[in-house]
Amino acid sequence: MSSSLVSMIFDSFLETLVMVAISGGIGTVLGIPLGIILFVTDKKSFLPMPVLNVVLGAIVNALRSVPFIILLVAIIPFTRLVVGSSIGTAAAIVPLTISVAPFIARIVETSLREVDKGLVEAAQAMGATNLQIVTKVLLPEAMPGILAGLTIAVISLIGYSAMAGVVGGGGLGDLGIRYGYQRFMPEVMWPVVIVLIVLVQGLQSFGDRLVRKISHR
């Protein structure tokens, strides 16, 4: 493998890490509160707000229903408005974030639903506020499930970031498409595939280890 090819793969790898890290971070910051709101405002929860719950749920479901490759193209005007361009690593972060945030929200909501309702009732009986119930009871109990879900979300982002290469989004996907597919250079495609496999395996192992550590506490 030539030094120029190694350099291209390394640069593309860093671009992929940047895309996944930033979009995953922003998506988590947006998705966790949204998931909490979806849970607590459910009609069977302790702070029912049916109208708000239905509206937010519809928005989340709508965003999750759009395949990423279509979303990527559909929001190009918005992407240009936010970052000034529709191509490159920065541009890819916008649709990646919009795609992963509602996914994380549903993960959080589902994890919170699995918490024993008796714990919530016990906290209410002791006079805990709604905020205390969320921060001291629900989130700690649901954390293993949330972390496992976040691992899946980040791995999904890696796949989405590769799709972003179709429109010049940068990263390993862009490198694989430009050289491995369009120019039919298997000596580029296979190293890209191997790097992606190693990256996914590493993230999955790290996530599993973190979940086991949290679960044993």
Side-chain angles (χ1 to χ4, degrees):
M1 186 182 298
S2 66
S3 58
S4 60
L5 177 56
V6 172
S7 178
M8 284 194 303
I9 293 176
F10 181 73
D11 291 342
S12 298
F13 173 73
L14 292 181
E15 289 177 353
T16 296
L17 286 185
V18 169
M19 284 191 289
V20 171
I22 295 178
S23 59
I26 298 174
T28 300
V29 169
L30 297 175
I32 289 180
L34 182 56
I36 293 172
I37 293 172
L38 285 170
F39 173 77
V40 301
T41 59
D42 185 80
K43 61 182 179 181
K44 295 181 180 180
S45 192
F46 56 88
L47 194 62
M49 297 181 187
V51 175
L52 176 61
N53 186 271
V54 169
V55 171
L56 288 179
I59 294 173
V60 167
N61 289 339
L63 290 174
R64 291 185 62 208
S65 300
V66 181
F68 178 73
I69 192 66
I70 296 177
L71 177 68
L72 185 68
V73 176
I75 66 168
I76 282 178
F78 177 70
T79 300
R80 285 177 179 159
L81 179 65
V82 174
V83 298
S85 174
S86 61
I87 60 174
T89 302
I93 291 172
V94 177
L96 286 171
T97 302
I98 293 175
S99 176
V100 78
F103 181 44
I104 291 175
R106 285 302 188 191
I107 287 172
V108 172
E109 181 190 15
T110 301
S111 298
L112 292 176
R113 288 184 186 280
E114 295 175 357
V115 176
D116 187 354
K117 292 182 180 180
L119 296 175
V120 176
E121 294 171 355
Q124 289 175 320
M126 290 187 292
T129 64
N130 292 332
L131 180 60
Q132 289 174 328
I133 291 174
V134 171
T135 58
K136 303 295 185 181
V137 179
L138 290 173
L139 286 178
E141 290 294 322
M143 192 54 65
I146 293 175
L147 288 177
L150 288 177
T151 301
I152 296 173
V154 170
I155 290 174
S156 297
L157 274 178
I158 295 174
Y160 292 161
S161 71
M163 292 183 204
V166 174
V167 294
L172 291 168
D174 183 45
L175 181 66
I177 290 170
R178 283 191 294 116
Y179 289 90
Y181 174 71
Q182 295 176 349
R183 303 184 187 183
F184 194 66
M185 297 174 64
E187 65 271 21
V188 176
M189 178 63 79
W190 284 112
V192 167
V193 171
I194 292 171
V195 171
L196 286 172
I197 290 174
V198 172
L199 179 59
V200 169
Q201 291 288 345
L203 286 172
Q204 186 66 63
S205 298
F206 175 76
D208 291 344
R209 191 178 301 112
L210 194 57
V211 169
R212 287 195 296 269
K213 183 176 180 180
I214 295 295
S215 298
H216 292 159
R217 288 181 179 178

